[in-house]
Amino acid sequence: MGVALTRSAQWTAAGHGARALGTTPLNEAILKEIIAFVESFIYKHPQEANYVFVEPLEWKTNLDPSAFGSGYVVSETTVESEEADKNGQPLLFLSVPQIKIRSFGQLSCVLYIAKNTKLKEAQACIEANRSPIAKILGLDYNMINEINEDSSVLTILDKITKDDDPESEVKMKIALRLKQLDLHLLNRSLKNISLEIRLNPGTVKNDIELLKRFSGKGEQTVLESIEYTSDYEFSNGCRAPPWRQIQGEICYVLVKPHDAETLCVTCSKEGVFLNGGKTDNEEEINYERKGEIYKDLVTLLTEKSAIFSENMSQQEVRFNEEQRKEKDQPNEAPEEKAAALRKASTASRRSALEKKQISLGRSQMTKRLEPTLIWKTTVDAKDKSSLRDTQEEKHGGRLEKSRPSTSSGKAQLIRKSAEKIEEIISESSSESEDDEEPPDYLQEANGDLPSEYWQIQNLVKYLKRGNQTATVIALCALKDYNLAQETCQLAIRDFGGLNVLINLLETDEVKCKIGSLKILKEISHNPQIRRNIVDLGGLPVMVNILDSPHKSLKCLAAETIANVAKFKRAWQAVRRHGGITKLVALLDWRQRARGPAQRSLYDASDEEVARCGALALWSCSRSSANKEAIRRAGGIPLLARLLKTSHENMLIPVVGTLQECASEENCRAAIKAERIIENLVKNLNSENEQLQKHCARAIYQCAEDEETRDLVRLCGGLRPLASLLSNTDDKERLAAVTGAIWKCSISKENVTKFREYKAIEALVGLLTDQPEEVLVNAAGALGECCREPEGRVTVRKRGGIQPLVDLLVGRNRALLVNVTKAVGACAVEPESMMIIDHLDGVRLLWSLLNSPHPDVKASAAWALCPCIQNAKDAGEMVRSFIGGLGLVVNLLKSDNEEVLASVCAAITNIAKDQENLALITDHGVVPLLSKLAYTNNDKLRRHLAEAISRCSTWGRNRVAFGEHKAVAPLVRYLKSNDTNVHRATAQALYQLSEDADNCITMHENGAVKLLLHMVGSPDQDLQEAAAGCISNIRRLALAIEKARYT
């Protein structure tokens, strides 16, 4: 961490010589990595998380003491952690605004409390503690990061190992963790640097001059005007003042779009961005950046102006023609200048290679590498015939098709440029491959590169400049290299081979297409190559090949699409170019008797075509839009048909696609209609572990539906699911199996079967030392199983309550919801409740009411209800939680109806104790309950009415409910269709009718007529409450009538 912060982080000078972290994308990336490391430290390394730092990390914080909850002693201006070192000193001490922290556990807690401001807190901590390792471990350990990897490091490690300090081993582990983090941050910095955009004055000037030609007052112009803020141009081509040139800035331009205010734009070597505009005196510019950095002017203006984007798309052809004319004018480019430009271009390519990156469309004027014109057919009409003659002379009359012209390629890059930066930032973990992509690892010194790297360079030259025969030979030679090796993959990319391979896909030569696709299929396993292929427009070309009459080409194109389509922009490209429909068409295969062997290079079996199509759909189906597209294209019935085959290599991608699609409700309905569950259950008995995993996950997704859960049981799927719990080596399969069991156990009949197959015992054993996904699913399944008395007894006897209570201290949202549900279900049994109380489980549940997540709050409140009902001396237990009753009452201010319903249920149980009822009355429970009376949610109505009924028994609460207008809305609850609401409401009205004013309100709102119907209800409690309420109203009416006549 020390080396990364010193060498990679970008520091700026602040007042009085202090230095601060600059606001840059690189620094933000480094801070996010450090935050992720610290947040996960407490779970991944619990022993090291308790280690006490040599010196505290101290900084000025913006956190308020009120943000700290349980586990801390809080006053108005100070906070102390209850957790302390062996000397009794707190591991966290906050005296506004200064905070001191002495363990990773407390650091993690502070970041959790900081929520949206955690980035600022991390930055403040790092700026105030420039040598964090020295403070955490001591000066000796800090030297490990400062000294190079030589014998001196070994000496230090040997000294530490022989140290008498009992914490030496823990220190060593932490030192190694921090060293790994340091290396990770350095690698991440390299990745960010490789993505940096570098412009030069010449490129910027050309962009601005071209945009000027297409600007004016007309409707078809792209801009109203674009002008420099300064007419003076320095000898280096820059127009920015010298002191700003040092910052990498080139010039400033005022741009007036048709549909927006004038934009003041800074053009710098790093890219283009909006600045603060001109100051009040109109002479100086506020240089501060006011937004994100774009790769060039066209990209920025496309983002900021809809009219510019629309008109630019119409003017692209003219724009590129003007660009070519400018380059072709002989007077503007003398021979010497042209030679110099060629030399600069060569140097630029070498520089890009040394910097381990490839320049992919850095400006719309950058020309793409292409094969020789021998392969081109998209040319001007006037030259087409003469070129055709030349081609036919050279190649015996055969004419190949090539990619579109260079200008259209540039236009394509212009259109995609706005997506590129956004796509890197915006991809979510659920719809993209891993965020951590390895940077290029090409060595800087030429001598360190393997010989294959330079041999591939020569083969790429033949691909660019050779005829058909030379191209085919070069492709064959290239295929012989180990293309799974990263050096070979990046060599093809760095020398422009990707451009050529994609261009070859639009020729008419089938052999070249096959050779190119075979190479692209192998190298597209590399994440960076995948993105480069999308940047170069390779996916639309591959989608077009899916219409080829040659089956082998279809297979290779589909397999390559399967490798490339691993992130959001690739999924969009496949869908927008009609790829989903074409891939679904490949699935239309019916198993027939095997015919004769393949007759040519271009043939492949229909089965293989369908398998490759399923593979590509599997990759694309991670996008919600693509799942719907697959369904609309008729993919579900075809996948159902393929699921009946016995070939495992076909079944895995088919089940994988179904598993992804099943997360959408419409797709689940289609899957149910095709009766696919029977085949999924059948394949659970397969010997292939990967197939078992995907079948279990598909069942997990589909079992949201009751009919599907019944089908799984009727088809015999519960036994194989239970038996798979015994194999815990494959964690992904275990997660899928436990997930399927969880969803299936929602049905009571399935719980009976699982109990018969000893699944509950196996699930209890999975509550420790398992990944979070397994824990979430196992806890969810136990929560469903514990609804039955036999399930609760089994969990208690197998010792399952202890690990469940231990999981209440976690922070995984889904895990907390499921664990609280399971603990609440166990608490229904008095014996289990005694164990929960002994393990301090009720206090842990109560502390979860402070959670920021509404579903966790609601689940914890529901779990507290049986705990209070079955706890011994429940009233005293509730009062022992300091601030607990106030916390519950304050939750009535929530906007979430599930939270409100659960809290009302908890208040109903709390109010059974008269002392507690008095306390919550003092906390203002009556007006808060009254405000909720106008709800239309029957679940909330029921529990609210029960809470009002209970609370009305104290003091003058029933009068207070009338004063707060809660009676009239309650009467309307009697019109609900839910009998439970009727019973709770009648009981509440019976309690409220003890007050004369409330009786009058009920009578005025028609309560008597509604209650009369309920006197004849088969529900005895409802009968008694309705009759009692009518009796009170009638008694009041008689008293009034008697008083009138006397």
Side-chain angles (χ1 to χ4, degrees), residues 42 146 162 266 299 343 384 441 496 597 760 996:
I42 193 172
E146 295 176 353
K162 294 178 181 178
T266 298
T299 305
K343 185 176 180 181
K384 194 172 288 185
Y441 291 109
I760 298 178

Side-chain angles (χ1 to χ4, degrees), residues 504-520:
L504 289 175
L505 296 181
E506 285 200 342
T507 67
D508 289 334
E509 183 57 48
V510 179
K511 291 180 181 178
C512 290
K513 289 184 178 181
I514 290 176
S516 177
L517 282 171
K518 284 185 175 180
I519 294 169
L520 288 171

Side-chain angles (χ1 to χ4, degrees), residues 277-287:
K278 287 201 170 186
T279 57
D280 294 337
N281 57 18
E282 295 292 332
E283 293 180 0
E284 295 185 2
I285 292 175
N286 179 359
Y287 300 110

Side-chain angles (χ1 to χ4, degrees), residues 599-887:
R599 291 170 293 180
S600 75
L601 170 71
Y602 313 131
D603 287 337
S605 66
D606 290 336
E607 179 187 354
E608 182 64 13
V609 173
R611 185 190 72 84
C612 295
L615 270 175
L617 286 174
W618 188 9
S619 291
C620 294
S621 62
R622 288 171 189 149
S623 159
S624 297
N626 285 354
K627 293 172 189 176
E628 181 62 17
I630 291 171
R631 185 189 68 82
R632 290 182 177 178
I636 304 298
L638 293 174
L639 289 167
R641 186 191 302 163
L642 293 176
L643 195 57
K644 297 175 182 177
T645 183
S646 59
H647 304 297
E648 287 183 351
N649 62 342
M650 170 74 82
L651 286 170
I652 289 173
V654 168
V655 176
T657 307
L658 286 170
Q659 160 215 315
E660 294 289 349
C661 291
S663 63
E664 297 295 317
E665 186 175 354
N666 290 338
C667 294
R668 284 200 297 272
I671 288 172
K672 185 170 68 173
E674 295 296 329
R675 304 193 68 81
I676 288 174
I677 300 300
E678 182 178 350
N679 288 306
L680 291 175
V681 170
K682 174 185 173 183
N683 288 307
L684 278 176
N685 296 307
S686 167
E687 296 296 325
N688 188 303
E689 293 186 358
Q690 191 177 4
L691 182 57
Q692 290 174 342
K693 176 182 71 176
H694 294 307
C695 287
R697 198 170 289 278
I699 291 173
Y700 163 72
Q701 298 283 8
C702 294
E704 296 283 349
D705 177 71
E706 183 179 0
E707 185 179 343
T708 301
R709 294 194 293 270
D710 293 340
L711 275 174
V712 174
R713 182 182 71 256
L714 295 174
C715 294
L718 301 183
R719 183 185 292 275
L721 284 173
S723 65
L724 288 173
L725 290 175
S726 59
N727 188 343
T728 60
D729 295 333
D730 187 342
K731 301 301 182 184
E732 289 188 2
R733 186 183 65 173
L734 185 61
V737 171
T738 51
I741 291 175
W742 171 23
K743 295 301 181 183
C744 289
S745 60
I746 296 174
S747 297
K748 291 184 179 180
E749 297 85 353
N750 291 348
V751 172
T752 304
K753 288 291 184 182
F754 282 133
R755 195 168 60 248
E756 179 185 332
Y757 300 143
K758 308 294 182 184
I760 298 178
E761 292 87 337
L763 288 168
V764 170
L766 296 176
L767 291 176
T768 54
D769 301 324
Q770 296 296 338
E772 281 192 340
E773 188 178 2
V774 175
L775 293 175
V776 170
N777 295 339
L782 288 173
E784 299 296 337
C785 292
C786 287
R787 290 179 302 164
E788 302 296 319
E790 297 86 351
R792 292 193 287 270
V793 172
T794 303
V795 171
R796 173 171 55 81
K797 289 183 176 180
R798 287 287 176 174
I801 295 178
Q802 170 84 54
L804 282 172
V805 172
D806 290 342
L807 290 173
L808 289 173
V809 299
R811 289 186 180 170
N812 183 296
R813 181 176 174 180
L815 179 59
L816 287 174
V817 170
N818 286 354
V819 170
T820 49
K821 185 177 181 179
V823 171
C826 290
V828 173
E829 187 192 41
E831 292 86 350
S832 298
M833 181 57 219
M834 290 177 61
I835 301 173
I836 293 169
D837 192 16
H838 177 71
L839 296 171
D840 208 15
V842 181
R843 182 184 66 82
L844 293 173
L845 284 172
W846 213 291
S847 67
L848 290 176
L849 296 178
N850 279 313
S851 171
H853 306 299
D855 50 352
V856 176
K857 289 180 183 176
S859 185
W862 287 122
L864 284 171
C865 295
C867 291
I868 298 170
Q869 286 174 352
N870 297 293
K872 186 178 180 181
D873 197 5
E876 183 60 35
M877 177 190 72
V878 170
R879 287 191 295 277
S880 69
F881 302 131
I882 299 173
L885 291 174
L887 173 61

Side-chain angles (χ1 to χ4, degrees), residues 9-24:
Q10 297 165 343
W11 297 85
T12 60
H16 305 292
R19 300 184 71 198
L21 282 171
T23 307
T24 66

Side-chain angles (χ1 to χ4, degrees), residues 208-220:
I208 293 172
E209 294 302 323
L210 280 174
L211 287 172
K212 281 184 178 181
R213 297 183 191 178
F214 290 87
S215 299
K217 296 294 184 181
E219 293 183 358
Q220 298 302 317

